[in-house]
Amino acid sequence: MISFDNLRSFAIILSVINILNYGNVHAQESRAGTSGDSTTYRQMLNQYCVTCHNQQLKTANLLLDQANLDDVAEDGEIWEKVIRKLRTRAMPPSGMPRPDQSLTDNFVTFLEDSLDRAAQQSPDPGNPVVSRLNRTEFENAVRDLLGVEMDVSNLLPHDDSGYGFDTVGEALSVSPLLAESYMSTARKISTRAIGDMDVQPLTIDYEVSRQFVQDTRMSEELPFGTRGGAAVKHHFPVDGEYVIKIQLQRNNDNYIRGLGEPHQIDIRLDDGLLSSFSVGGEHQGRSGPLYAFINKDYLGDPEQEAYEFSADDHLQIRFSAKAGTSKIGVAFVDQYFKTEGKKRPRQAFQELYSFKGGKPAVDKIFISGPYNPAGLGNTPSREKIFQCYPMDASEESECARQILESLATQAYRRPIQDDDIETLSKFYQIGYQEAGFEEGIRTGIQGILVNPNFLFRIEKQPENPESGVPYYVSDLDLASRLSFFLWSSLPDKELLDLAIEGKLGSPGILASQVKRMLRDRKSTELARNFTEQWLGLRKLETVTPDPRVFPGFDENLRDALQQEMSLFAESIAMEDRSLLDFLNADYTFINERLAQHYGIPDIVGSGFRKVRLTDDSRKGLLGKGSILTVTSYANRTSPTLRGKWVLDNILGTPPPPPPPNVPTLEEDNTENGRTLTMRERMEKHRANPICATCHKRMDPLGFAIDNFNAIGEWRENENNTPIDPSGALPDGTEFQGPAELTNILMSEPEQFLQTIIEKLMMYALGRGLGYQDMPVIRKIIQNTEKDNYQWSAVIMEIVNSMPFQMRRSSNDDI
């Protein structure tokens, strides 16, 4: 039995022999052209790579001693791994001899050309599984089908994701709980769409998180000159009367905060003022201390105490509202609006739990009703649904058929067949017999929303296909692929009509439809959903920085960080910018709160605006506070998490999972009475050979952005020691800080482009990618170079690609 130590010794001996032979191959390197020959490249592999990657050592389970260079496609999976390693200069490892770079580049070109030719001769578009709609797609489809906007996040279970995306069919399983949720959700949606005159009054409350500091305008939906409060969308089920009541924030002892001076609070319905109230400023006796913990035995006069417990009782109004979804705005008039440019001290939200002074803030908005229902109104959903309306009973059946056939055609993304009508007629009859025509339409809609043809994206194969042979998907399936990719929703009428007529697949028509859809505001769904998942930003909703270390982190900042990235991604899509702008854009979107966080002067107000960045460290993704926050721990930065994030999302070379029983970073961060920096702690950690292999790839990338703390603020020192942001890539290229790292990534952008386009392809296709997909990725990069990799050019190439327009037949689908 050969021991591990013996194998390591054997590898070292081979390395020495190969180094002695270095000159023999080096003399041939200059003679190897772009096309090259397999003999030259086999000698190069034997000298620099096979030492470790052979049948005996099996390093990284990559065996190059037997891999076929005469027929590269035969071992395509192996050679695609080699291409990726060589493109990122991750191999040979640092400190080991490397071939001349020109020879390496020629070898990579030889492999890519060979694999691309083979792929063109034998295309393999893959065979995506049947996929159900995820929650976002379901919600958008209901909006576009019925004109109903309903948040289904609390109605349907959370979606799993595969390869980082919730569009991947393999991850979107169906459980009994999900099936039950679909049934109950369909009933709620259909009832809201039609309306219900028998609805009973109920109260819905909207809570404003206490971790929001309500000292500025809280939303773009609220007027200038206001502060605090909230703007909410509320659905009024019928025309009728409703009641809005405002509850103000209390401290831990139930005192209403901020009653020392009078404050005006306004209630708005859409853009109209419903009512204004004054609260605070009344003095009915002596008040207790501002902080309850100062003297718990000391209380104010009874009348003043009663007032401070109930001063918001009068903050309610009864009003009439039309059926449908409207915006309710509640906010205080900002008494200091005219002097907004002056910096005012912010009060950390932790202090508010015991403080009863300062300014009042909204805790909850209660909306009750309806009272005295007056009708179902002419809501957008009823306008969409009732394309006809029977004048008498004799017209009901034909009108119902017309309505349900039209809705089902859009919902199922294809022409309706007789068995579809038969099924929907049964749903209609159930409701009709119970309560007449409108109830029949409601139950028919409920049947549509639980039908597999709506909930699942089922693609039809040609008749009698030969298993394993690729074929073009139908125009109807192409329309669905296109709409769910660009809009996360159903095809609209124009797109679906072209598909039904069999015209969509025509190159000119398809291109014009892609351009039209990208101009539509619904395409921001692609930018937002893709970017959030690609970059792991959905974690931002749940991260909780330690308030003892970062007392300034509040919901205002979390909201601002999310908004910055949403607007940034949207700008790249809607302004049709280059994908490279993700890496090095010299602009961002900020408001006053985020500007203070970033140290950018002269930004006033809660509204977001586009600003030019003068600090190179803030440019592109590496300077975004949202990314820096989700790649940190609650109380400190993590060079490892940040380095792993760069490897995975920027370079597309994720490290392997950590080995079992890997030791964690020691919690003791002191040495000889001195607090260690993160770099010093990580150096101790990497002294363990088990940890060193992966950390030497990840940590230098993370150290480059370690000047940003765990919530994205810039800092020069850590524990009174200057931060060292230096690092080096595996090939020895050195960098200092985020700006230099970004410049290096931009100097050879192909790896980033490959990564982001791979991610976009996974999002679009709803499946993971394999080695057989890499020729398509390279083709997209090559074809979009002339357009500087513009967003629309890349999207168009994805839509025109073989995997997007084709699929491989399978006996399982027949």
Side-chain angles (χ1 to χ4, degrees):
M1 180 68 71
I2 300 177
S3 70
F4 178 77
D5 289 338
N6 288 336
L7 287 175
R8 293 284 294 180
S9 301
F10 178 66
I12 293 172
I13 293 171
L14 281 178
S15 296
V16 172
I17 294 173
N18 286 332
I19 291 171
L20 294 175
N21 291 332
Y22 176 72
N24 296 332
V25 174
H26 185 70
Q28 303 174 44
E29 290 177 355
S30 60
R31 299 194 298 270
T34 299
S35 58
D37 64 83
S38 59
T39 302
T40 299
Y41 297 135
R42 171 52 62 191
Q43 289 178 322
M44 183 192 76
L45 289 172
N46 289 342
Q47 176 170 333
Y48 296 104
C49 307
V50 171
T51 301
C52 297
H53 298 288
N54 55 62
Q55 297 285 342
Q56 285 184 301
L57 292 183
K58 299 181 179 180
T59 304
N61 203 30
L62 184 64
L63 311 181
L64 298 181
D65 51 345
Q66 301 296 322
N68 194 338
L69 270 175
D70 295 318
D71 183 4
V72 172
E74 180 181 293
D75 290 318
E77 186 171 6
I78 291 176
W79 295 124
E80 287 291 355
K81 291 179 181 179
V82 170
I83 289 170
R84 193 175 294 264
K85 290 293 186 183
L86 295 180
R87 280 288 186 204
T88 57
R89 301 179 184 176
M91 288 291 162
S94 177
M96 298 294 289
R98 288 173 175 259
D100 183 80
Q101 190 58 47
S102 62
L103 177 62
T104 301
D105 292 342
N106 290 339
F107 178 49
V108 170
T109 301
F110 163 75
L111 293 176
E112 290 178 342
D113 289 348
S114 301
L115 292 167
D116 293 350
R117 284 193 301 270
Q120 191 170 9
Q121 294 168 3
S122 302
D124 183 2
N127 187 30
V129 301
V130 172
S131 176
R132 68 167 173 84
L133 306 190
N134 60 39
R135 289 193 306 188
T136 298
E137 294 167 340
F138 181 92
E139 187 173 304
N140 291 342
V142 166
R143 176 203 64 204
D144 294 341
L145 178 67
L146 301 173
V148 172
E149 295 190 28
M150 179 178 284
D151 182 1
V152 301
S153 60
N154 294 323
L155 302 176
L156 298 176
H158 176 75
D159 291 318
D160 291 328
S161 62
Y163 305 96
F165 297 103
D166 62 8
T167 59
V168 173
E170 293 176 1
L172 295 170
S173 58
V174 179
S175 65
L177 174 61
L178 180 61
E180 292 178 9
S181 299
Y182 277 141
M183 293 294 293
S184 61
T185 301
R187 180 174 183 84
K188 291 175 181 176
I189 291 170
S190 60
T191 300
R192 175 173 291 192
I194 298 296
D196 181 8
M197 284 299 294
D198 296 326
V199 64
Q200 297 299 306
L202 56 85
T203 299
I204 296 176
D205 67 273
Y206 300 92
E207 184 173 4
V208 182
S209 171
R210 293 191 71 178
Q211 293 188 345
F212 275 114
V213 179
Q214 299 184 34
D215 59 358
T216 60
R217 186 166 68 114
M218 298 292 288
S219 167
E220 304 275 340
E221 301 291 329
L222 294 170
F224 286 103
T226 64
R227 67 158 190 87
V232 300
K233 286 186 175 180
H234 181 79
H235 181 74
F236 297 100
V238 297
D239 294 350
E241 295 180 354
Y242 297 85
V243 173
I244 294 179
K245 176 173 173 51
I246 310 304
Q247 178 176 295
L248 301 181
Q249 279 188 6
R250 270 92 169 147
N251 68 5
N252 288 342
D253 293 297
N254 212 34
Y255 289 100
I256 297 173
R257 297 193 302 101
L259 297 180
E261 298 177 354
H263 298 267
Q264 180 180 323
I265 186 169
D266 294 341
I267 301 176
R268 285 178 167 80
L269 174 63
D270 292 324
D271 295 323
L273 180 65
L274 277 180
S275 186
S276 293
F277 299 92
S278 179
V279 64
E282 297 185 26
H283 302 283
Q284 302 179 15
R286 186 178 56 177
S287 180
L290 289 178
Y291 288 93
F293 61 79
I294 293 177
N295 188 347
K296 290 184 177 294
D297 296 327
Y298 170 67
L299 299 175
D301 292 338
E303 294 82 0
Q304 184 67 18
E305 291 279 308
Y307 170 69
E308 292 176 6
F309 284 133
S310 60
D312 57 1
D313 283 353
H314 68 295
L315 301 182
Q316 59 180 307
I317 182 175
R318 187 171 180 132
F319 64 101
S320 296
K322 294 290 186 181
T325 301
S326 294
K327 180 183 68 180
I328 299 295
V330 175
F332 293 93
V333 174
D334 191 348
Q335 298 166 314
Y336 303 98
F337 179 65
K338 291 183 180 180
T339 58
E340 191 177 21
K342 296 181 179 179
K343 299 297 181 184
R344 291 172 287 173
R346 291 177 55 82
Q347 186 171 26
F349 65 83
Q350 294 91 343
E351 299 177 9
L352 305 182
Y353 296 146
S354 58
F355 188 54
K356 72 174 185 177
K359 292 178 288 189
V362 174
D363 184 28
K364 292 181 180 179
I365 303 169
F366 297 93
I367 304 178
S368 304
Y371 305 103
N372 301 322
L376 295 176
N378 191 27
T379 63
S381 57
R382 287 181 66 86
E383 285 185 357
K384 263 184 171 291
I385 293 167
F386 292 110
Q387 305 163 19
C388 60
Y389 205 92
M391 300 300 293
D392 54 48
S394 65
E395 298 178 356
E396 290 177 339
S397 179
E398 180 57 33
C399 182
R401 179 186 177 94
Q402 181 180 334
I403 290 171
L404 295 177
E405 184 172 342
S406 175
L407 291 174
T409 298
Q410 186 180 0
Y412 301 166
R413 288 91 72 186
R414 59 169 174 77
I416 296 306
Q417 302 167 355
D418 290 341
D419 57 344
D420 298 316
I421 292 297
E422 183 179 349
T423 300
L424 292 176
S425 295
K426 292 177 181 178
F427 277 95
Y428 169 76
Q429 287 298 326
I430 292 171
Y432 181 82
Q433 292 172 9
E434 181 180 334
F437 174 75
E438 289 203 1
E439 179 62 13
I441 296 298
R442 189 202 65 76
T443 54
I445 291 173
Q446 185 175 346
I448 291 173
L449 297 180
V450 297
N451 192 292
N453 290 292
F454 171 69
L455 295 173
F456 294 86
R457 293 169 56 188
I458 304 170
E459 297 184 340
K460 187 178 180 181
Q461 282 199 144
E463 293 185 6
N464 304 317
E466 183 180 347
S467 181
V469 176
Y471 63 90
Y472 282 95
V473 299
S474 69
D475 274 18
L476 290 170
D477 291 333
L478 181 59
S480 284
R481 287 189 175 194
L482 189 57
S483 65
F484 282 105
F485 174 35
L486 302 186
W487 288 348
S488 298
S489 187
L490 307 169
D492 64 359
K493 187 177 187 305
E494 180 176 336
L495 184 65
L496 188 58
D497 285 348
L498 287 170
I500 291 173
E501 295 167 6
K503 297 179 180 178
L504 181 60
S506 302
I509 291 178
L510 181 61
S512 67
Q513 286 299 302
V514 172
K515 292 175 182 177
R516 175 183 72 87
M517 295 173 74
L518 287 175
R519 288 193 301 267
D520 194 295
R521 288 293 303 173
K522 288 193 290 187
S523 69
T524 59
E525 289 284 330
L526 167 60
R528 181 178 60 83
N529 290 329
F530 168 72
T531 305
E532 284 180 354
Q533 296 181 81
W534 162 41
L535 302 175
L537 294 178
R538 290 185 175 177
K539 299 174 186 175
L540 189 61
E541 297 178 0
T542 56
V543 296
T544 53
D546 190 336
R548 295 167 298 182
V549 183
F550 305 106
F553 188 92
D554 51 31
E555 289 300 310
N556 307 65
L557 180 56
R558 187 197 306 273
D559 191 61
L561 293 172
Q562 290 175 322
Q563 187 76 345
E564 177 193 24
M565 272 307 304
S566 293
L567 292 172
F568 179 65
E570 184 178 316
S571 74
I572 289 179
M574 300 309 291
E575 297 173 17
D576 200 15
R577 304 179 73 92
S578 169
L579 293 187
L580 296 177
D581 279 5
F582 277 111
L583 271 186
N584 75 333
D586 62 352
Y587 69 92
T588 192
F589 296 83
I590 58 175
N591 63 359
E592 181 179 354
R593 179 71 182 92
L594 191 55
Q596 292 173 355
H597 189 65
Y598 284 175
I600 298 175
D602 304 323
I603 302 295
V604 176
S606 59
F608 278 79
R609 78 264 356 228
K610 187 176 182 179
V611 299
R612 195 67 54 188
L613 295 169
T614 57
D615 180 0
D616 289 347
S617 298
R618 281 286 177 198
K619 293 180 180 179
L621 293 177
L622 297 186
K624 294 291 180 288
S626 53
I627 292 170
L628 297 163
T629 301
V630 300
T631 55
S632 298
Y633 290 115
N635 61 349
R636 63 170 175 84
T637 61
S638 173
T640 301
L641 289 180
R642 289 178 174 177
K644 180 180 182 299
W645 183 92
V646 172
L647 289 173
D648 193 0
N649 298 299
I650 303 299
L651 296 175
T653 56
N661 303 319
V662 62
T664 59
L665 188 67
E666 293 183 10
E667 290 300 321
D668 182 11
N669 63 346
T670 59
E671 187 174 85
N672 299 324
R674 185 178 67 86
T675 303
L676 300 177
T677 65
M678 182 52 61
R679 178 181 284 270
E680 291 169 332
R681 294 175 67 187
M682 293 305 302
E683 287 172 352
K684 290 179 62 178
H685 186 67
R686 288 198 306 275
N688 187 324
I690 298 176
C691 308
T693 302
C694 291
H695 278 280
K696 68 182 180 182
R697 291 181 59 210
M698 296 184 288
D699 293 354
L701 299 171
F703 284 131
I705 48 181
D706 204 38
N707 277 112
F708 296 113
N709 70 11
I711 59 173
E713 289 177 300
W714 184 264
R715 57 183 184 163
E716 295 288 346
N717 299 290
E718 180 188 8
N719 302 328
N720 298 317
T721 301
I723 289 174
D724 177 7
S726 62
L729 297 178
D731 67 349
T733 303
E734 297 182 348
F735 50 83
Q736 185 91 10
E740 290 190 11
L741 177 57
T742 296
N743 289 338
I744 290 173
L745 296 173
M746 284 294 298
S747 66
E748 297 183 2
E750 292 81 8
Q751 198 61 37
F752 169 71
L753 291 167
Q754 177 170 334
T755 301
I756 187 173
I757 293 173
E758 283 178 8
K759 303 281 187 179
L760 273 167
M761 283 289 284
M762 285 190 278
Y763 180 91
L765 299 176
R767 64 170 175 84
L769 300 187
Y771 69 92
Q772 66 273 14
D773 295 299
M774 294 305 105
V776 175
I777 303 298
R778 288 191 284 269
K779 182 179 179 182
I780 293 173
I781 295 174
Q782 292 164 7
N783 289 352
T784 56
E785 182 180 9
K786 65 182 183 300
D787 300 306
N788 194 29
Y789 316 106
Q790 277 181 291
W791 177 261
S792 64
V794 172
I795 298 301
M796 189 71 75
E797 286 294 324
I798 290 175
V799 171
N800 287 331
S801 70
M802 173 263 297
F804 193 87
Q805 296 198 15
M806 301 179 73
R807 68 179 294 149
R808 186 180 67 248
S809 60
S810 168
N811 288 327
D812 295 337
D813 298 335
I814 299 174

